[in-house]
Amino acid sequence: MGTSSETFKKEYADFEAKVKRTVFVDNFSPQVTKEVLKTAFGQFGTVLSVEVITNYFEENNNAVGALVEMENAKQAKGVIEDIRNHPFMMSGMPRPVRGQEAKPEMFDDRPRDPIRKIDFKWVEPEDEDFEVAQKMKDLVKWHAAEASLLLKFQMEEEEKLAKQQSEMLNANYKKYESIENIMQEGALNRLARHYKVNVSDD
């Protein structure tokens, strides 16, 4: 009995240490992958693991955030401070990524707290707590719908930004291509002579 209790305590202590060295990040593009996150945060220190938190209430199961585990708590704290003090962009996003300290409830694999005890019970319609439980259920659905709408809006904004960047790149390419053609065809020198403009390197 004592051995089992000590094992649970050690397991939870290890978990608490993991929480302290983990950063919760959000406000990034749904297109960002674990590999992108690991590479991006690798510049702050050693990344041990990346766990993407998925919104299962949303049709496309887009990410609502991610848990980035650093090598130690000092690195995690440094990441949070850097992100708060300096805008940190990823994958051409028009908005900076946000970072904060991770919380134990954010982890799906968190072990049972050996000190905390939770009682469960089925709530029937005639139970006095049924209405409260129903309100909580509706609130969760409302938050899920709100998050889904926000992600949709963010995706639309990112598509607009990507389109603008693509159009700008194409316009610049055509401009430089025209200049190069003029130089190669000798039209520049003819225009310079006509308007009496010196375009030589001297």
Side-chain angles (χ1 to χ4, degrees), residues 14-104:
D14 292 341
F15 169 70
E16 287 181 318
K18 178 180 179 180
V19 173
K20 290 180 180 179
R21 62 175 179 264
T22 301
V23 180
F24 172 74
V25 296
D26 67 345
N27 208 41
F28 56 83
S29 169
Q31 299 174 348
V32 170
T33 63
K34 286 185 178 181
E35 290 71 22
V36 172
L37 286 165
K38 188 171 184 178
T39 301
F41 284 90
Q43 60 187 294
F44 296 104
T46 303
V47 179
L48 299 182
S49 67
V50 175
E51 187 65 34
V52 175
I53 301 176
T54 304
N55 180 9
Y56 292 106
F57 292 96
E58 209 265 337
E59 183 178 354
N60 295 323
N61 292 338
N62 286 321
V64 295
L67 296 169
V68 181
E69 182 186 357
M70 305 302 293
E71 188 174 23
N72 51 58
K74 184 178 180 180
Q75 284 188 7
K77 185 177 180 180
V79 170
I80 295 172
E81 290 179 354
D82 284 340
I83 291 178
R84 286 177 179 172
N85 296 329
H86 308 285
F88 184 55
M89 320 296 282
M90 275 198 308
S91 299
M93 287 288 294
R95 61 186 185 277
V97 175
R98 296 179 301 204
Q100 60 179 295
E101 297 176 355
K103 306 296 182 185

Side-chain angles (χ1 to χ4, degrees), residues 102-185:
K103 306 296 182 185
E105 56 270 18
M106 295 176 177
F107 296 78
D108 289 335
D109 59 345
R110 65 183 181 276
R112 178 177 63 85
D113 187 340
I115 299 177
R116 185 181 181 186
K117 292 184 178 180
I118 301 176
D119 294 326
F120 297 90
K121 71 172 183 177
W122 290 104
V123 181
E124 302 295 340
E126 60 273 10
D127 195 298
E128 59 181 8
D129 293 329
F130 181 81
E131 185 177 349
V132 176
Q134 188 64 44
K135 287 182 178 179
M136 290 180 64
K137 182 179 178 181
D138 294 339
L139 184 61
V140 170
K141 289 183 177 179
W142 184 82
H143 279 304
E146 185 181 49
S148 176
L149 183 62
L150 179 60
L151 284 171
K152 182 180 179 181
F153 173 75
Q154 290 173 348
M155 286 292 291
E156 291 175 351
E157 290 297 308
E158 289 165 23
E159 289 175 359
K160 289 179 182 178
L161 179 64
K163 185 178 180 181
Q164 290 174 357
Q165 291 175 339
S166 178
E167 291 175 350
M168 186 179 298
L169 287 172
N170 289 333
N172 288 335
Y173 175 78
K174 291 179 179 179
K175 179 174 67 176
Y176 290 119
E177 187 179 40
S178 298
I179 294 174
E180 184 178 358
N181 290 335
I182 290 174
M183 294 290 290
Q184 290 176 351
E185 295 172 0

